[in-house]
């Protein structure tokens, strides 16, 4: 495989680069380093099958140029993080929609298979048991999507579907549910690294709201190989597939587990949502994936337990 990983200097993208290089593939990471960092790729520095191109997926000519020499594209680049999205909704919408258009159109033009990263956010505030991949719920109810991020990702999926259906190329869409692991930073509001940073610094852990909201955290080491398998799986073509962990935990319990595992002397403090994200902010009470489709298609079965992920 000659692969392009957009957002390759980011959290998931850099692990994907490691994995692809480990599998013997050639890899180019395309990243503008807005939230990613070169340090995430220092282990690949000087590797003969690896290159980092610094630039934006909004640069159509650059994207075309990079994709032209490759047969596979993993599109991870996006404006991410609750703070970025809430503070700069239009900018995130543009980056996420136009970036995906540029990447998918270049892939189709040059006959490269492609996978785009979508998100559980497109399910909006839906907090019923085990979310399934039913597309009607998203496209039929766009107003349920929260923020520009969710809307752009929904449209990204549409761009991928439309091109994928016509092109006959391998095309996959992964909807990530709270993926965590090394190199993820807490700077943009991600809860697990933020809690771990606070605990290791001996500071109080700040829980937004009462801490009763529930989540499942998935390991990056489970989802990265799953992405590659999905792109190589013909029945997964042009379908959106949930990927995440299956161990549900409340945010209050998560804080306690982080304190225990780090041996922190810090306490837990509760902060109202409005203080963290401004007036009118509402969080989802519960978010857990139904990963049956991934299990059926590629035998996906998360191996990483939450305590091991935190450790
Ligand atoms: P990340 O911020 O670590 O990675 C995103 C990368 O994209 C960064 O390296 C950033 O510098 C780069 N980038 C941003 N704008 C760019 C642009 N215009 N041109 C080129 N590069 C650009 O975040 P991540 O968690 O690794 O997310 C990767 C993908 O997975 C994103 O598409 C995100 O929406 C999606 N996702 C992640 C999660 C999760 O739990 N981590 C959940 C849902 C979806």
């Amino acid at each position: 495989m000659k692969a392009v990983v957009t957002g390759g200097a980011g959290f998931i993208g850099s692990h994907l680069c490691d994995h692809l290089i480990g599998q013997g593939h050639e890899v180019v990471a395309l990243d503008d380093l807005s939230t990613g960092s070169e340090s995430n790729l220092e282990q690949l520095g000087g590797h003969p099958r690896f290159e980092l191109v610094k630039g934006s997926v909004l640069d159509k000519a650059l994207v075309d140029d990079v994709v032209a020499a490759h047969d596979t594209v993993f599109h991870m680049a996006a404006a991410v993080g609750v703070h970025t999205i809430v503070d700069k909704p239009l900018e995130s919408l543009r980056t996420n929609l136009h970036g995906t258009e540029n990447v998918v159109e270049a892939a189709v033009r040059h006959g490269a298979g492609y996978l785009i990263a979508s998100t559980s956010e497109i399910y909006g505030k839906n907090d019923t048991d085990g979310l399934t991949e039913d597309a009607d719920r998203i496209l039929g109810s766009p107003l349920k999507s929260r923020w520009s991020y969710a809307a752009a990702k929904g449209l990204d999926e549409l761009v991928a579907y439309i091109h994928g259906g016509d092109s006959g190329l391998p095309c996959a869409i992964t909807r990530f549910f709270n993926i965590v692991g090394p190199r993820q930073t807490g700077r943009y509001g991600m809860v697990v690294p933020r809690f771990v940073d606070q605990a290791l610094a001996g500071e109080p852990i700040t829980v937004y709201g009462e801490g009763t909201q529930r989540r499942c955290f998935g390991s990056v080491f489970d989802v990265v190989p799953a992405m590659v398998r999905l792109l190589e799986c013909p029945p997964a073509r042009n379908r959106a597939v949930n990927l995440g962990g299956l161990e549900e935990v409340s945010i209050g319990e998560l804080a306690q587990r982080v304190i225990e595992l780090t041996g922190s002397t810090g306490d837990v403090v509760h902060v109202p949502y409005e203080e963290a994200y401004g007036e009118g902010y509402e969080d989802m009470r519960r978010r857990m994936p139904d990963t049956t489709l991934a299990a059926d298609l590629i035998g996906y079965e998360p191996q990483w337990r939450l305590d091991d992920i935190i450790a």
Side-chain angles (χ1 to χ4, degrees):
M1 193 188 288
K2 285 176 154 196
V4 177
V5 179
T6 73
F11 159 53
I12 299 176
S14 64
H15 286 287
L16 179 59
C17 290
D18 287 345
H19 178 76
L20 292 169
I21 290 291
Q23 300 277 303
H25 303 299
E26 278 180 37
V27 181
V28 167
L30 172 63
D31 202 299
D32 71 353
L33 303 179
S34 49
T35 54
S37 157
E38 273 186 86
S39 63
N40 287 339
L41 295 169
E42 68 193 2
Q43 69 289 355
L44 297 177
H47 194 289
R49 283 184 280 109
F50 179 75
E51 189 191 346
L52 168 64
V53 173
K54 292 177 204 168
S56 174
V57 290
L58 295 175
D59 182 341
K60 201 169 176 169
L62 175 68
V63 170
D64 190 76
D65 204 37
V66 172
V67 171
H70 295 81
D71 54 39
T72 309
V73 184
F74 294 92
H75 179 43
M76 301 293 116
V80 301
V82 180
H83 290 299
T84 317
I85 292 150
V86 170
D87 292 348
K88 297 176 180 168
L90 269 181
E91 209 173 304
S92 352
L93 186 69
R94 282 190 199 111
T95 302
N96 295 347
L97 179 56
H98 295 323
T100 302
E101 273 179 336
N102 288 344
V103 170
V104 170
E105 284 172 12
V108 172
R109 204 160 34 242
H110 297 290
Y114 57 93
L115 177 146
I116 70 158
S118 186
T119 172
S120 58
E121 296 280 343
I122 62 159
Y123 293 117
K125 289 188 189 301
N126 201 326
D127 59 0
T128 54
D129 283 342
L131 294 163
T132 63
E133 290 85 352
D134 180 359
D136 287 347
R137 255 195 290 175
I138 314 141
L139 304 176
S141 322
L143 295 178
K144 277 192 186 163
S145 296
R146 63 172 182 175
W147 310 321
S148 58
Y149 177 68
K153 289 285 185 178
L155 291 170
D156 287 352
E157 290 195 7
L158 197 56
V159 169
Y161 284 131
I162 291 167
H163 283 294
D166 291 346
S167 70
L169 291 163
C171 156
I173 298 160
T174 49
R175 291 181 185 152
F176 295 134
F177 281 66
N178 294 93
I179 308 307
V180 294
R183 301 181 197 149
Q184 188 178 40
T185 152
R187 269 179 294 162
Y188 307 102
M190 311 317 184
V191 66
V192 173
R194 186 168 60 77
F195 281 8
V196 171
D197 285 346
Q198 289 175 324
L200 290 177
E203 293 167 4
I205 290 187
T206 41
V207 170
Y208 303 145
E210 289 169 8
T212 51
Q213 62 277 38
R214 302 182 73 76
R215 296 289 183 272
C216 288
F217 295 96
S219 168
V220 71
F221 298 119
D222 280 322
V223 304
V224 158
M227 280 193 270
V228 179
R229 291 209 304 277
L230 279 170
L231 199 49
E232 290 171 341
C233 169
R237 224 167 249 199
N238 224 14
R239 298 185 76 164
V241 179
N242 291 341
L243 288 179
L246 298 173
E247 196 181 336
E248 196 178 10
V249 68
S250 76
I251 297 301
E253 286 159 9
L254 174 72
Q256 287 306 333
R257 279 161 87 164
V258 168
I259 285 176
E260 278 163 35
L261 286 161
T262 54
S264 171
T265 49
D267 212 351
V268 173
V269 292
H270 291 267
V271 174
Y273 278 113
E274 301 77 55
E275 221 170 274
Y277 295 123
E279 222 37 64
Y281 180 89
E282 274 183 81
D283 202 8
M284 254 171 274
R285 302 307 309 154
R286 185 176 187 217
R287 179 159 61 199
M288 67 174 295
D290 181 327
T291 56
T292 310
L293 180 60
D296 290 349
L297 288 168
I298 54 163
Y300 177 74
E301 197 182 337
Q303 302 296 311
W304 281 71
R305 309 267 315 160
L306 181 59
D307 283 356
D308 299 324
I309 296 174
I310 294 170

